[in-house]
Amino acid sequence: MAGMLNIGLTGLNAAQMQLNTASHNIANAATPGYSRQTVVQSTNDPLFTGVGFFGQGTRIDTVKRQYSEYLQNNVLSADNRRAEYAVYDAQISQINNLLADATAGLSPALQNFFAGVQEVAANPNSVPARQSLLSAGQSFVARFQAMDTRLSEIRAGVESQIASSVESINGLANQIAELNQRIVIAQAAGPNVPANDLLDQRDAVVTELNKLVKTSTVIESNGQMSVFVGSGQALVLGQNVNRLGVVSTPDDVERSGVAMIAPNGVAITLPENLLTGGELGGLLAFRRETLDSTRDQMNRIARQFAEVFNDQHRKGVTLEGALGSDFFRLDMVTAESGDPALAPAVSIANDNLLTNDRYRVTYDSAAAGGYVLTRISDGAAVAPADVGLEIEVPAGAVNGSTYLVVPLRHAARNISVALVEPRDVAVGNPVSVSAPLSNGGTGKVDGISIASVDALATSYPHFASFGMRFDAASNALVLDAGPFAIEPSPASFNPATDSSGKTFTITRGGEPVFTFEFSGTPADAARFEFKPTELGVADNRNAVALGALQTSKTMLVDGAGNDTATFQSAYSQIVAQAGSKGREVRAGMQVQETLLRQATDARDSLSGVNLDEEAANLLRYQQAYQAAGRIMSIAQRLFDEIVSIGR
Amino acid sequence: MRISTNMIYGKGVATLQNQTAELLRTQQQVSTGRRILTPADDPIASARALELGQSQAVNQQFGRNIAYADDNLKILEGKLVGVGDILQYSRERAVQAGNGSMTATDLGYLATDLKSQFEALFGLANSRDGQGDYIFSGFKANTKPFEGGLSGVQYQGDEGGRTIQVSASRFMPVSLPGADVFDRSRIVDVNALRTPSDDKPTTNDALYSFKGNNNTGTASALQVSFDPATVDPATDLGKRYQLQYSQPDPLVDGTWSVIMSVPGGEAVPVAASPNPPSPATPTSLTFNGITVQLPADAPPVSDADATPLGDGDAFEVFVASTKMFDNYALFVSALDDQGAVGAAGGVAFALENLDFALENVLKVRAQIGSQMVETEQLQNLGADLDLQYSQAISRLEDVDYAEALSRLVQQQSYLQAAQQSFLRITGLSLFNFLS
């Protein structure tokens, strides 16, 4: 009887605990990160009697949570990648919307500007047309600035999100350390008493952490979890936390990097390629791949546009007859310790190689070219050709003077229109040709195109007129004696074969000044005189050349040194790149979402609560409880029987 | 496999969200009419549409340029038609002047008429466009191209021609320097030589020689040639000379005098070499770059004999100029100030040189005409291209409404099915049956 009573009691207790656990499961069915708990029941040690072992009922060994670390890790890595793609997708769609907007993108501004140029080409003498070109230039640079502002806003958003992710990581790391401490205390009772709920909580925190950055975890023998990020840097070691912090990168105040702060306060910057996955990895990858690239390409267009347009503009003459000055202002060189008047002449040789870095030119007469070029961010010496620049040191350079060269950074922000006076728009061409009426034959000089204005004076007259005659005896064009020479030398022109046109170059001191095309069949001694254009207010040759820049290839030099893209195609390339990356990221996100769902399903099929199953358990253990209770009442009746015998 | 309750809810909600997102996207496409809502939807098509948009805008810009070019060419054409009309009228007057029955007074009236035609021509050459720029001064649009008058016209402009870009590779000239129309109306090559004939006794096409109407001598028109040593094309062209032989005594050799007509003014004497041409009778005279062969005079055999040269015989020499104005002024002076030679030489000179001038104007008009044909063709081509670009962009960007609307209906029904099935499945629970 006593045995039966005890046995019934054990059954009752066991059924009660099963019912408790089933209720616990039902109550926590919707708790995030909860793993279903089951009770492990086993038989009590049997009693040995002379005739065999008699069972002594049941006991509860432990409450086990249905948890598989393998399945959980699958879910974590899928979620980590999904979070990375999701944040990348959210950021890149901002860029896509900015770039491809039909009215707010760069294309309409570009087209309007060149429409203004063509207007001036059609009405070169009209001051209102020139004024409207200046206004179109203002709105063009304003568009650059607006896009740069928007990109800066996106960048600021990314930087602040990086900072807040780092804050969240630190907070979650602290929580893990605290839970580690409580788990150690709770599990001090022994290895078979896992603190299930605390473990679930810690796993939930790790899941949240994994959404932010890719981590790897190790459970130590005392139940504490250590968390590692990157290539093995410890974020949480037992109950000690190493904080992450945000530091600014050298030479770029706006850009922040992530550093691990050691206990003694020293911040060690983590390289970006170690922080992958999660929101932090996604933000860093977005910034590194898309944001930086888009910003650099926009800056490249701004820089190259200013260079090319200014170059052509300087080859023209204004309404006053002076050589044109810069149309756009976009300084590349600032004086640091040197004299601004002795600044080096820096031009873009290969726009494809330009980077966002800043450089320093130090004059050194012992070095090749008379200068040393160093990159400021790492102090390394670079060759100008490697970074797409061409540098010339002026005469009278002082050793040790330093100048800053910033080819690309902030170009779209800083570009502005330098001209104020509409009369200063350089629409004409400084060189004109005239032929006396007595010329026989049909020889004609056409298509004068300026190669360089270095040899010409700034104001009228830009050079002394010189003549050229056609010599039928040698079938060549001969220049009058003077500082100018013609190339190729001798300038042979055979009217029989070359009458459709042949190009010649006029040089001074070996440097080309301008080229022209000679066509027709000239008579012997036909003369042509090259003179500076005088009062040429209706001369639109330079405006036509400026207008032709819209459709000619001026950007993205290839390996052979040829330009491969117009301004519009270079912009379209930016749009296409951002669009493709956005598509790739979106597809990746959808794939990861599917993978996450599959991994979650696999985990839930082990760890998730099924209410129907729990309801069935409730019924089952209710009956078990009733049956055990019935055992005890029967044991009591048996005892009453025995006692009534003695009465 | 074991299903947890969370999975049922989770999957159901996720499906509902996906269906709703798809439905929303289709609705956006339908309401904006665009298939591509962001470049990430179709990056290649987005980039291509941007490029096509640029090409279309450039094409439209070229269309505007073609319209500008057309306007300029029409103005030029109009002016040149005016010039041609004046020249044609002048030619008719020249023919009229050649009528032998015209008296000096009549010729004087014709000269007055032609002087005003000269002014009209001069005015056309100096015409301005709507913005006040001179049309025929090349690049110097603020400088009056032709200065002067009957006594001489100088071209003040330059030889530049404006071009306008009407297509990616075609830069169409839309202006002419006045020199091409008015100063190069004929070719004058002082070095060219030809054999003189009886009716053209000069060695160069630009030289004309006539004998006077009232000559008593038998000599025919003098043979004239350019003097290669002294001729200067800049100053010696566009001149009219009268050479007069005066022989008061038929037995004594006479003397020659040379005067040069000044259109609109008095004739001036010209110093000739050898100078003075007396007492010996020279065989040739050289002045101002031309050499005139003088016929030898023979004494009369009898009283009734006609000698080669008689007293008062006059001969006329014209030196044509490349400039239309100079030649025209010479014609006017031939009518106005006939001198001893009469107007017949002037008429012959005028007819030939007006023809040259007209030919030049027609040549320029033909060039402008063919350019205008070209602009029309370019305009048609541009309109076609614009349509093609629009179609290509539409094909890339615009939504196909039939497909989108049927997709919308389909997704609506999917969403409804998802919602109803979700309700049903989540309603199934064992707890419903526990009392």
Side-chain angles (χ1 to χ4, degrees):
Chain A
M1 267 115 332
M4 203 166 147
L5 211 56
N6 275 341
I7 289 173
L9 192 58
T10 62
L12 209 65
N13 284 337
Q16 196 174 46
M17 286 189 213
Q18 290 276 16
L19 283 170
N20 278 346
T21 306
S23 321
H24 182 66
N25 281 343
I26 292 172
N28 280 307
T31 307
Y34 176 76
S35 312
R36 159 177 81 101
Q37 293 173 355
T38 52
V39 175
V40 179
Q41 229 175 305
S42 65
T43 57
N44 268 333
D45 295 332
L47 189 60
F48 181 68
T49 64
V51 294
F53 286 93
F54 281 94
Q56 293 299 304
T58 183
R59 68 158 188 261
I60 302 291
D61 276 341
T62 181
V63 179
K64 198 169 83 158
R65 82 185 164 128
Q66 295 298 317
Y67 172 81
S68 160
E69 195 174 343
Y70 168 73
L71 292 176
Q72 177 71 358
N73 282 343
N74 280 351
V75 171
L76 287 184
S77 63
D79 200 19
N80 176 269
R81 295 282 284 162
R82 182 207 59 86
E84 180 185 0
Y85 279 121
V87 80
Y88 204 130
D89 181 63
Q91 297 293 337
I92 206 173
S93 55
Q94 292 183 70
I95 292 204
N96 275 330
N97 291 341
L98 169 68
L99 290 177
D101 191 326
T103 51
L106 194 62
S107 298
L110 199 61
Q111 285 150 16
N112 278 342
F113 180 68
F114 278 110
V117 174
Q118 297 283 1
E119 186 75 28
V120 172
N123 299 304
N125 198 19
S126 154
V127 173
R130 289 157 178 255
Q131 180 60 55
S132 72
L133 172 63
L134 289 184
S135 310
Q138 304 275 13
S139 44
F140 181 59
V141 300
R143 182 58 58 83
F144 263 122
Q145 284 156 1
M147 298 191 80
D148 181 81
T149 307
R150 185 77 191 101
L151 284 177
S152 300
E153 281 171 12
I154 296 177
R155 169 174 298 274
V158 167
E159 299 294 336
S160 77
Q161 263 194 289
I162 289 178
S164 64
S165 297
V166 165
E167 277 304 300
S168 306
I169 291 175
N170 285 338
L172 292 171
N174 282 333
Q175 284 184 35
I176 292 178
E178 188 194 318
L179 283 168
N180 273 346
Q181 190 188 34
R182 288 164 63 187
I183 287 172
V184 159
I185 293 172
Q187 291 188 179
N192 281 336
V193 256
N196 291 324
D197 297 310
L198 287 174
L199 289 173
D200 276 346
Q201 279 184 42
R202 189 174 65 184
D203 281 335
V205 175
V206 171
T207 308
E208 282 307 306
L209 183 64
N210 221 44
K211 285 196 174 94
L212 295 174
V213 67
K214 182 139 184 63
T215 57
S216 52
T217 58
V218 167
I219 310 270
E220 312 200 3
S221 51
N222 60 358
Q224 291 190 349
M225 174 187 272
S226 295
V227 178
F228 302 93
V229 293
S231 65
Q233 284 75 26
L235 186 64
V236 178
L237 266 179
Q239 295 172 31
N240 299 318
V241 174
N242 291 330
R243 285 180 48 243
L244 288 182
V246 166
V247 295
S248 50
T249 51
D251 196 42
D252 191 349
V253 187
E254 294 173 8
R255 190 189 183 82
S256 50
V258 180
M260 179 157 277
I261 303 179
N264 61 357
V266 173
I268 308 165
T269 311
L270 295 173
E272 277 186 24
N273 55 356
L274 293 184
L275 294 167
T276 57
E279 273 187 23
L280 188 61
L283 289 168
L284 292 173
F286 166 73
R287 183 179 69 178
R288 184 176 62 242
E289 292 167 11
T290 303
L291 191 58
D292 282 353
S293 154
T294 304
R295 172 202 63 189
D296 285 349
Q297 286 175 325
M298 285 292 294
N299 283 340
R300 181 171 306 139
I301 293 183
R303 164 65 60 197
Q304 192 68 359
F305 193 90
E307 289 285 309
V308 167
F309 199 86
N310 280 347
D311 210 41
Q312 185 65 46
H313 191 257
R314 281 197 295 271
K315 292 180 181 165
V317 288
T318 67
L319 263 184
E320 317 296 343
L323 283 179
S325 55
D326 282 344
F327 189 96
F328 291 106
R329 188 195 164 129
L330 189 55
D331 295 328
M332 206 174 356
V333 181
T334 41
E336 226 181 359
S337 74
D339 182 4
L342 294 173
V346 182
S347 59
I348 308 290
N350 185 336
D351 57 343
N352 252 339
L353 298 175
L354 294 174
T355 63
N356 195 39
D357 296 314
R358 297 193 306 166
Y359 302 93
R360 177 173 287 125
V361 169
T362 315
Y363 285 156
D364 183 359
S365 48
Y371 62 89
V372 174
L373 185 69
T374 46
R375 187 186 298 132
I376 290 186
S377 59
D378 57 2
V382 291
D386 289 343
V387 291
L389 298 173
E390 221 174 77
I391 304 184
E392 254 178 52
V393 173
V398 175
N399 268 352
S401 329
T402 55
Y403 298 87
L404 277 180
V405 175
V406 185
L408 213 54
R409 190 179 296 190
H410 298 328
R413 186 184 301 180
N414 292 336
I415 188 172
S416 63
V417 174
L419 285 186
V420 175
E421 176 62 46
R423 297 178 71 85
D424 288 339
V425 179
V427 172
N429 188 317
V431 178
S432 283
V433 68
S434 74
L437 297 171
S438 56
N439 268 1
T442 59
K444 197 165 70 109
V445 171
D446 216 353
I448 297 178
S449 161
I450 306 290
S452 154
V453 292
D454 292 340
L456 303 179
T458 312
S459 55
Y460 179 83
H462 310 289
F463 59 97
S465 319
F466 62 95
M468 178 177 79
R469 72 169 203 285
F470 174 70
D471 184 28
S474 55
N475 267 350
L477 294 165
V478 179
L479 286 189
D480 294 347
F484 292 97
I486 191 169
E487 277 185 22
S489 178
S492 55
F493 181 86
N494 186 346
T497 55
D498 297 329
S499 65
S500 57
K502 195 168 168 189
T503 316
F504 299 93
T505 309
I506 297 289
T507 61
R508 183 172 176 152
E511 296 296 320
V513 181
F514 64 88
T515 64
F516 65 92
E517 187 176 305
F518 193 82
S519 58
T521 45
D524 186 24
R527 275 195 69 83
F528 303 90
E529 181 152 336
F530 291 106
K531 52 188 173 82
T533 311
E534 183 189 358
L535 296 178
V537 295
D539 185 357
N540 72 344
R541 286 176 286 174
N542 205 42
V544 170
L546 286 170
L549 289 176
Q550 185 183 18
T551 47
S552 48
K553 294 193 202 275
T554 47
M555 285 200 65
L556 302 183
V557 177
D558 67 6
N562 301 322
D563 294 311
T564 57
T566 64
F567 295 117
Q568 176 62 42
S569 350
Y571 181 70
S572 306
Q573 284 189 22
I574 302 181
V575 175
Q577 270 183 11
S580 305
K581 189 69 182 170
R583 191 172 175 71
E584 176 194 324
V585 161
R586 186 173 300 174
M589 184 173 78
Q590 286 165 351
V591 164
Q592 287 304 322
E593 276 174 2
T594 311
L595 287 178
L596 175 64
R597 219 168 320 156
Q598 287 174 1
T600 316
D601 287 350
R603 186 199 59 186
D604 279 353
S605 84
L606 177 65
S607 311
V609 172
N610 186 325
L611 288 176
D612 290 343
E613 188 188 17
E614 300 304 322
N617 279 345
L618 280 180
L619 283 175
R620 180 168 151 200
Y621 292 113
Q622 192 185 12
Q623 278 189 350
Y625 189 87
Q626 285 170 344
R630 178 66 49 184
I631 296 175
M632 289 180 74
S633 72
I634 290 185
Q636 189 198 20
R637 282 248 294 269
L638 289 180
F639 185 66
D640 283 344
E641 293 287 335
I642 301 262
V643 166
S644 67
I645 291 176
R647 212 176 288 130
Chain B
M1 112 177 167
R2 190 176 161 275
I3 305 278
S4 75
T5 311
N6 280 341
M7 269 164 68
I8 299 175
Y9 279 94
K11 275 183 170 341
V13 168
T15 313
L16 283 175
Q17 282 180 334
N18 282 346
Q19 299 283 16
T20 313
E22 288 289 313
L23 189 62
L24 186 62
R25 189 164 170 280
T26 307
Q27 190 263 340
Q28 288 275 73
Q29 284 180 331
V30 165
S31 61
T32 59
R34 293 165 59 94
R35 182 178 64 96
I36 304 179
L37 296 168
T38 78
D41 292 343
D42 192 348
I44 297 177
S46 289
R48 183 98 189 95
L50 260 185
E51 296 243 354
L52 285 174
Q54 144 99 350
S55 304
Q56 190 178 31
V58 168
N59 190 42
Q60 284 165 353
Q61 179 62 50
F62 286 148
R64 283 193 285 276
N65 284 358
I66 291 172
Y68 274 132
D70 213 27
D71 288 344
N72 280 327
L73 290 173
K74 282 204 176 76
I75 292 178
L76 269 180
E77 162 92 1
K79 300 297 173 195
L80 289 175
V81 163
V83 169
D85 284 348
I86 293 178
L87 290 175
Q88 188 64 39
Y89 177 82
S90 308
R91 198 178 186 288
E92 284 165 20
R93 295 283 80 75
V95 168
Q96 190 181 6
N99 189 337
S101 64
M102 299 282 271
T103 65
T105 329
D106 293 334
L107 291 175
Y109 293 148
L110 269 181
T112 313
D113 185 9
L114 287 173
K115 276 185 199 163
S116 58
Q117 291 306 314
F118 181 90
E119 292 301 321
L121 205 56
F122 194 68
L124 269 180
N126 282 335
S127 50
R128 306 199 210 203
D129 67 7
Q131 290 167 325
D133 294 337
Y134 288 104
I135 297 178
F136 286 112
S137 8
F139 287 145
K140 294 160 99 163
N142 286 342
T143 315
K144 198 162 157 197
F146 292 98
E147 293 275 14
L150 263 184
S151 51
V153 171
Q154 298 304 320
Y155 180 61
Q156 309 288 332
D158 66 16
E159 298 185 26
R162 268 207 331 271
T163 58
I164 286 187
Q165 187 176 14
V166 294
S167 85
S169 50
R170 171 84 169 113
F171 295 85
M172 180 179 285
V174 294
S175 76
L176 285 174
D180 279 354
V181 178
F182 298 100
D183 279 359
R184 291 199 170 91
S185 64
R186 63 164 293 167
I187 299 178
V188 173
D189 186 0
V190 300
N191 298 318
L193 290 173
R194 66 167 184 198
T195 325
S197 63
D198 274 342
D199 52 322
K200 287 193 186 181
T202 62
T203 58
N204 190 297
D205 285 332
L207 294 169
Y208 299 81
S209 170
F210 304 101
K211 60 184 261 192
N213 284 342
N214 306 318
N215 281 5
T216 54
T218 57
S220 51
L222 305 175
Q223 187 175 353
V224 188
S225 51
F226 278 114
D227 179 22
T230 57
V231 67
D232 177 10
T235 55
D236 291 337
L237 298 179
K239 302 275 190 274
R240 172 173 173 250
Y241 303 103
Q242 295 183 53
L243 292 86
Q244 201 155 28
Y245 184 70
S246 70
Q247 189 187 35
D249 181 0
L251 298 174
V252 175
D253 280 340
T255 55
W256 287 93
S257 64
V258 183
I259 55 173
M260 180 175 80
S261 313
V262 172
E266 294 290 320
V268 296
V270 175
S273 157
N275 182 29
S278 72
T281 323
T283 52
S284 70
L285 283 175
T286 304
F287 53 91
N288 286 0
I290 59 173
T291 307
V292 181
Q293 301 294 336
L294 297 175
D297 193 16
V301 171
S302 68
D303 265 343
D305 243 351
T307 56
L309 289 170
D311 178 31
D313 274 0
F315 299 87
E316 201 177 20
V317 173
F318 282 98
V319 182
S321 163
T322 55
K323 303 187 190 181
M324 177 199 296
F325 284 117
D326 285 353
N327 294 340
Y328 202 96
L330 289 183
F331 176 43
V332 169
S333 94
L335 291 181
D336 213 12
D337 173 25
Q338 297 133 36
V341 289
V347 167
F349 171 79
L351 283 177
E352 183 161 309
N353 284 288
L354 282 175
D355 278 346
F356 277 130
L358 259 175
E359 205 177 290
N360 187 44
V361 168
L362 285 175
K363 182 184 83 172
V364 174
R365 271 186 66 190
Q367 183 190 322
I368 292 183
S370 75
Q371 276 178 238
M372 286 170 78
V373 168
E374 188 186 342
T375 58
E376 194 177 314
Q377 288 171 344
L378 283 172
Q379 236 159 10
N380 291 339
L381 190 63
D384 273 348
L385 268 180
D386 196 46
L387 189 60
Q388 282 179 26
Y389 284 136
S390 298
Q391 282 179 343
I393 294 178
S394 164
R395 199 171 15 96
L396 288 171
E397 279 190 347
D398 289 345
V399 71
D400 176 4
Y401 269 102
E403 184 262 337
L405 287 172
S406 54
R407 184 163 27 106
L408 187 69
V409 170
Q410 188 185 47
Q411 281 168 345
Q412 262 181 316
S413 54
Y414 286 165
L415 182 60
Q416 280 175 348
Q419 286 168 336
Q420 288 177 348
S421 57
F422 179 75
L423 279 176
R424 272 181 195 253
I425 293 179
T426 53
L428 297 171
S429 172
L430 198 52
F431 281 100
N432 294 343
F433 301 104
L434 289 179
S435 59

